[in-house]
C-alpha cells in the first residue's frame, strides 16, 4: 500500500526537486537583474533605489565599457579561429589512425586541459610580454588555447567517430586526394560538430579571468576586467550588475542554439 | 607517406600551439624554480632551496589540507546532487530544453563576478537570501566567521558547478534505450536496482570526466574565494592556488615558480591516474564485447 502511494508521488517529487534547484540557481541572477535596474548611488533627479534604465544608458555612454564588450568578442572570435582548424586536423588523426605515441599525446592534452591558468600565469605574462602581445586580443586568444584546444579535439573526435570510416575509403577510390576529401566531403558533414565546438570555445573563453587579467595591463580589457575596474571608493553596484547582465546575455543566446548538444563536449573517448 | 607521419603532421599544429602556451611557460618556471631572481639580469643558481622552503613550511601543508578538505566536500555534495538532478530532469518535451538552459546559466557568469553577485545576494539589507536568513534569525557572517566563510564558499561552488555534473549525467542517461527500462520492469527491478545496474554503468565514463574536472577545479580554486574574502578570516580559506596567486602578485619569481612546478607535478599525477583508470575500463569493456 505504502509502496504504491510512493510511486504515485515520485514524479511530483522529481519535478519539485528540480524546481527548487532552479530557483536556487536563479536567486542570484534575479538579484543581478534587480540591482541593475535601480539607481544605487546618489544622483541628481533620482531617489536611491528607484527603478531606472540609467545603468544601461551609462554603459552605452562610457567608451571603456563599450569597447570592453568589443574586446571580449574580438579575442573570443580569434580564439575560435585559431582553435577550430588546429583541432579539426588533430581530431581527424585521432579519430582515423592508430599511430605511434597517440596514447602519450592524449595524456599530454589531458594534462594541459586540467592545468589551472593560475599555475602558469606568471610565465605566460613574461612570454607574451617578450613577444609584445600584452594588451592585445591575440595574446588572450592564444593563451586560452591551453584549455580550449584539448576539449575541442575531444568534441570533434566524438563527432568524427560517428562518421563511418568507409566514407573515407570510397572517396579515395573515387579519386579524391586527402585534402580535397577533407574540404569537399568531410567538412560539410562535420558542421554540427564544429558548431558545438564553437559554442564551447566561446563559453570557456568568455568566463575565464586569470589569463584575461594578467595579459591586459593598461588596455584591451575584456568585460570581466572592465567590471573589476568599476570597483572603487564609491562603487556603483547598479552599473556593475548591469555590466554583469551584458556579459551573461551573449552566453545565454549561445546556450539556446546549442541546447541539444550541450553535453557533447565531455563525452570523452580515448583513441580507439 | 605512412600513417604515422601523416598523423603527426595532422596533430602538429595543435601540439605546437600547446607547447608554446603550455610547454614554454612550464620550462620557464622549472628554470626559475632553481634560481633566485632579483631582476632579469641578476639571476643566481640556488638549487632546491625554494622547494625546501615550501615543502618544509607549515603553511604549505595547511593549505594542502584545506584544499583537500574543500575538494572532498565539493565532490561529496556536487556529484550525488548532480546525478540526482539528472534523474529528475524530464526525458522529453519542451521541459528538457528549458531545464537545460536554466541549469546552464551559472556556467556563463564571468568567474570574477560570481563572488560579487553572491555578496549582493547575501546582503542583509536588500539581498534576496540575506534578508530571508536574517529574518529567521541566522546571521551569516561570511567575513569574520571561518565556518560561515566555508559554508559560503561551498554554497557558491555548488551553485556554480553542480549544473555541469547534472548536464553531463543527463547526456549519458538520455542515450539509454527504453527497452532496457522495460526489461528491468519485467524482471521486477526496484528503482534502486534500475539505477545501480542500468543507469550507473552507462554514466560511468562521463562521471569519471565530471569527477576529474570537479576535483582539479576545486582543488586549485582561486578566483571565487579570493574575491569573496581573500583567504580570510585568519587564512581559514587560504587554498593552494591562492598561496601561489599571492607570490605571483608580489612578483616572487623563484618561490612562485617552485610552487607552480610542485602543483604541476601533482596535476600530472592526477592526469596519469585518470588515464590509467580509463585504459583499465576500456580493457574491461573490450573483454565484455568479446
Amino acid at each position: 500500500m505504502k509502496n504504491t502511494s510512493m510511486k504515485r508521488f515520485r514524479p511530483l517529487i522529481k519535478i519539485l526537486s528540480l524546481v527548487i534547484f532552479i530557483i536556487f540557481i536563479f536567486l542570484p541572477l534575479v538579484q543581478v537583474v534587480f540591482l541593475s535596474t535601480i539607481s544605487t548611488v546618489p544622483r541628481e533627479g533620482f531617489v536611491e533605489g528607484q527603478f531606472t534604465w540609467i545603468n544601461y544608458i551609462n554603459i552605452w555612454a562610457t567608451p571603456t565599457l563599450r569597447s570592453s564588450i568589443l574586446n571580449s568578442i574580438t579575442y573570443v572570435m580569434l580564439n575560435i579561429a585559431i582553435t577550430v582548424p588546429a583541432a579539426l586536423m588533430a581530431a581527424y588523426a585521432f579519430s582515423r589512425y592508430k599511430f605511434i605515441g597517440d596514447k602519450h599525446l592524449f595524456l599530454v592534452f589531458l594534462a594541459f586541459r586540467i592545468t589551472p591558468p593560475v599555475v602558469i600565469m606568471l610565465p605566460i605574462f613574461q612570454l607574451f610580454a617578450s613577444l609584445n602581445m600584452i594588451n592585445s586580443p591575440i595574446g588572450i586568444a592564444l593563451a586560452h588555447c591551453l584549455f580550449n584546444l584539448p576539449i575541442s579535439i575531444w568534441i570533434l573526435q566524438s563527432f568524427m567517430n560517428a562518421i563511418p570510416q568507409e566514407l573515407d575509403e570510397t572517396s579515395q577510390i573515387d579519386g579524391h586526394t586527402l585534402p580535397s576529401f577533407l574540404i569537399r566531403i568531410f567538412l560539410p558533414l562535420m558542421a554540427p560538430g564544429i558548431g558545438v565546438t564553437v559554442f564551447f570555445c566561446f563559453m570557456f573563453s568568455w568566463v575565464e579571468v586569470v589569463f584575461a587579467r594578467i595579459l591586459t595591463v593598461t588596455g584591451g580589457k575584456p568585460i570581466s576586467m572592465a567590471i573589476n575596474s568599476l570597483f572603487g571608493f564609491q562603487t556603483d553596484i547598479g552599473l556593475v550588475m548591469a555590466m554583469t547582465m551584458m556579459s551573461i546575455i551573449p552566453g545565454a543566446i549561445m546556450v539556446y542554439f546549442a541546447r541539444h548538444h550541450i553535453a557533447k563536449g565531455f563525452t570523452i573517448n580515448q583513441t580507439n | 607517406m605512412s600513417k604515422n607521419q601523416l598523423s603527426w603532421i595532422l596533430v602538429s599544429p595543435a601540439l605546437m600551439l600547446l607547447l608554446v602556451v603550455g610547454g614554454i611557460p612550464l620550462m620557464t618556471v622549472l628554470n626559475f624554480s632553481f634560481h633566485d631572481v632579483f631582476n632579469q639580469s641578476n639571476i643566481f643558481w640556488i638549487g632546491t632551496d625554494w622547494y625546501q622552503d615550501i615543502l618544509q613550511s607549515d603553511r604549505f601543508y595547511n593549505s594542502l589540507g584545506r584544499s583537500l578538505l574543500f575538494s572532498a566536500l565539493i565532490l561529496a555534495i556536487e556529484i550525488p546532487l548532480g546525478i540526482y538532478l539528472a534523474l529528475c530532469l524530464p526525458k522529453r518535451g519542451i521541459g528538457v530544453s528549458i531545464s537545460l538552459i536554466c541549469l546552464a546559466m551559472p556556467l556563463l557568469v564571468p568567474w570574477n563576478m560570481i563572488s560579487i553577485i553572491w555578496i549582493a545576494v547575501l546582503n542583509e539589507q536588500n539581498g534576496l537570501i540575506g534578508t530571508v536568513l536574517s529574518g529567521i534569525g541566522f546571521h551569516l557572517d561570511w567575513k569574520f566567521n571561518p565556518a560561515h566563510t566555508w559554508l559560503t564558499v561551498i554554497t557558491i561552488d555548488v551553485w556554480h558547478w553542480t549544473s555541469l555534473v547534472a548536464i553531463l549525467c543527463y547526456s549519458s542517461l538520455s542515450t539509454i534505450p527504453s527497452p532496457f527500462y522495460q526489461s528491468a520492469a519485467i524482471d521486477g527491478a526496484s528503482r534502486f536496482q534500475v539505477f545501480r545496474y542500468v543507469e550507473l554503468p552507462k554514466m560511468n565514463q562521463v562521471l569519471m570526466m565530471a569527477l576529474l574536472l570537479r576535483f582539479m577545479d576545486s582543488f586549485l580554486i582561486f578566483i571565487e574565494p579570493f574575491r569573496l574574502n581573500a583567504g580570510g578570516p585568519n587564512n581559514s580559506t587560504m587554498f593552494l592556488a591562492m598561496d601561489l596567486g599571492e607570490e605571483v602578485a608580489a612578483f616572487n619569481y623563484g618561490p612562485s615558480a617552485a610552487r607552480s612546478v610542485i602543483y604541476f607535478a601533482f596535476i600530472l599525477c592526477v592526469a596519469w591516474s585518470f588515464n590509467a583508470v580509463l585504459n583499465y575500463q576500456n580493457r574491461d569493456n573490450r573483454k565484455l564485447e568479446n
Side-chain angles (χ1 to χ4, degrees):
Chain A
M1 191 62 209
K2 188 174 171 243
N3 202 10
T4 50
S5 70
M6 257 187 69
K7 259 188 192 145
R8 194 175 309 149
F9 283 117
R10 198 173 276 149
L12 199 68
I13 296 170
K14 275 184 173 181
I15 292 173
L16 209 64
S17 327
L18 195 64
V19 168
I20 289 172
F21 190 77
I22 286 177
I23 289 173
F24 169 63
I25 279 181
F26 269 87
L27 276 179
L29 299 174
V30 169
Q31 184 89 51
V32 173
V33 176
F34 172 68
L35 284 174
S36 74
T37 51
I38 60 171
S39 173
T40 51
V41 286
R43 262 194 203 95
E44 224 173 287
F46 287 99
V47 187
E48 244 181 282
Q50 183 192 345
F51 174 84
T52 167
W53 295 108
I54 186 93
N55 297 311
Y56 290 96
I57 295 167
N58 277 346
I59 291 178
W60 188 246
T62 317
T64 51
L65 294 183
R66 233 173 23 198
S67 68
S68 75
I69 298 174
L70 203 63
N71 288 335
S72 277
I73 292 171
T74 314
Y75 85 73
V76 169
M77 290 297 160
L78 276 172
N79 176 266
I80 290 169
I82 298 167
T83 307
V84 171
L88 269 171
M89 289 167 73
Y92 187 78
F94 276 118
S95 163
R96 292 306 195 239
Y97 306 119
K98 206 170 172 61
F99 55 97
I100 298 173
D102 52 0
K103 291 256 158 71
H104 300 95
L105 214 52
F106 176 83
L107 183 60
V108 170
F109 287 155
L110 184 65
F112 280 133
R113 172 60 189 85
I114 63 173
T115 303
V118 65
V119 171
I120 56 168
M121 74 180 182
L122 188 58
I124 279 270
F125 172 74
Q126 288 183 307
L127 177 69
F128 285 91
S130 66
L131 294 173
N132 248 334
M133 281 204 259
I134 300 294
N135 299 337
S136 94
I138 300 175
I140 307 179
L142 277 174
H144 283 184
C145 286
L146 183 72
F147 43 84
N148 271 349
L149 205 46
I151 211 126
S152 303
I153 293 173
W154 294 332
I155 300 170
L156 290 170
Q157 195 193 335
S158 72
F159 274 91
M160 284 179 188
N161 286 345
I163 299 174
Q165 190 136 16
E166 285 78 40
L167 184 74
D168 305 34
E169 285 148 15
T170 46
S171 61
Q172 277 178 16
I173 294 166
D174 290 348
H176 280 287
T177 58
L178 185 63
S180 102
F181 161 72
L182 286 180
I183 294 167
R184 296 222 187 112
I185 299 171
F186 199 68
L187 219 50
L189 286 175
M190 282 300 294
I194 294 172
V196 175
T197 312
V198 166
F199 166 72
F200 273 98
C201 288
F202 171 88
M203 195 178 98
F204 288 122
S205 193
W206 188 265
V207 295
E208 201 280 336
V209 289
V210 172
F211 285 152
R213 181 180 64 184
I214 200 125
L215 292 176
T216 53
V217 182
T218 51
K221 289 193 182 296
I223 286 189
S224 48
M225 291 305 108
I227 300 175
N228 258 4
S229 63
L230 293 176
F231 286 89
F233 177 64
Q234 193 187 29
T235 306
D236 185 356
I237 200 76
L239 186 61
V240 168
M241 291 304 170
M243 204 57 193
T244 308
M245 273 315 287
M246 296 303 287
S247 69
I248 298 174
I249 289 168
I253 295 170
M254 295 286 281
V255 167
Y256 177 77
F257 287 115
R259 64 192 182 281
H260 297 304
H261 305 282
I262 204 165
K264 204 85 184 188
F266 303 91
T267 45
I268 181 174
N269 39 6
Q270 221 178 1
T271 47
N272 41 359
Chain B
M1 196 160 29
S2 80
K3 276 186 177 172
N4 273 319
Q5 288 167 331
L6 180 62
S7 304
W8 276 94
I9 290 172
L10 285 172
V11 295
S12 58
L15 192 61
M16 294 287 269
L17 266 170
L18 279 179
L19 288 181
V20 170
V21 298
I24 292 177
L26 282 171
M27 290 300 115
T28 320
V29 286
L30 192 62
N31 182 33
F32 277 147
S33 69
F34 295 108
H35 290 88
D36 196 353
V37 183
F38 285 110
N39 54 44
Q40 292 301 338
S41 50
N42 285 301
I43 297 174
F44 301 100
W45 170 266
I46 57 158
T48 57
D49 279 11
W50 296 128
Y51 291 98
Q52 285 172 15
D53 281 355
I54 294 168
L55 294 175
Q56 285 167 0
S57 69
D58 287 341
R59 186 177 172 157
F60 175 72
Y61 293 101
N62 289 339
S63 298
L64 181 67
R66 280 191 286 265
S67 284
L68 283 174
L69 177 64
F70 181 71
S71 282
L73 288 171
I74 287 298
L75 291 180
I77 297 171
E78 288 181 11
I79 300 288
L81 185 60
I83 295 174
Y84 177 68
L85 285 171
L87 292 172
C88 287
L89 276 166
K91 292 262 186 305
R92 62 189 71 80
I94 185 85
V96 180
S97 294
I98 294 173
S99 317
L100 283 178
I101 293 170
C102 290
L103 284 178
M105 290 308 287
L107 301 172
L108 304 169
V109 183
W111 292 3
N112 59 339
M113 288 316 297
I114 285 169
S115 295
I116 309 294
I117 293 174
W118 271 89
I119 290 173
V121 177
L122 293 174
N123 187 317
E124 294 193 343
Q125 265 81 53
N126 57 14
L128 287 172
I129 297 177
T131 44
V132 173
L133 284 181
S134 66
I136 59 171
F138 182 73
H139 176 60
L140 186 74
D141 186 12
W142 51 264
K143 220 172 174 83
F144 297 111
N145 184 332
H148 289 189
T149 315
W150 268 78
L151 186 67
T152 312
V153 177
I154 289 172
T155 311
I156 292 176
D157 203 83
V158 168
W159 177 79
H160 190 183
W161 288 112
T162 305
S163 309
L164 180 71
V165 182
I167 292 171
L168 293 188
C169 292
Y170 178 75
S171 77
S172 62
L173 279 179
S174 61
T175 60
I176 300 177
S178 53
F180 279 50
Y181 288 107
Q182 285 155 12
S183 48
I186 291 167
D187 291 345
S190 68
R191 182 70 194 87
F192 177 76
Q193 282 171 324
V194 171
F195 173 71
R196 172 67 188 79
Y197 296 105
V198 178
E199 291 170 335
L200 201 58
K202 193 74 190 175
M203 283 193 283
N204 201 345
Q205 231 185 11
V206 141
L207 264 183
M208 282 290 298
M209 193 65 192
L211 208 62
L212 174 78
L213 288 178
R214 282 318 304 133
F215 173 67
M216 276 323 296
D217 288 351
S218 60
F219 187 68
L220 289 176
I221 190 169
F222 176 58
I223 296 287
E224 290 92 336
F226 181 75
R227 296 294 308 216
L228 182 72
N229 215 353
N234 243 334
N235 283 349
S236 63
T237 50
M238 203 67 184
F239 299 115
L240 280 175
M242 294 160 75
D243 283 336
L244 176 60
E246 216 165 71
E247 305 262 32
V248 171
F251 280 92
N252 290 331
Y253 286 92
S256 73
R259 256 178 211 283
S260 291
V261 173
I262 293 171
Y263 295 179
F264 188 72
F266 183 82
I267 292 164
L268 264 186
C269 291
V270 173
W272 186 83
S273 326
F274 177 75
N275 199 30
V277 173
L278 221 57
N279 271 331
Y280 184 74
Q281 284 182 345
N282 279 354
R283 204 176 308 139
D284 274 6
N285 286 343
R286 227 160 275 156
K287 258 186 214 155
L288 279 177
E289 276 162 23
N290 295 338

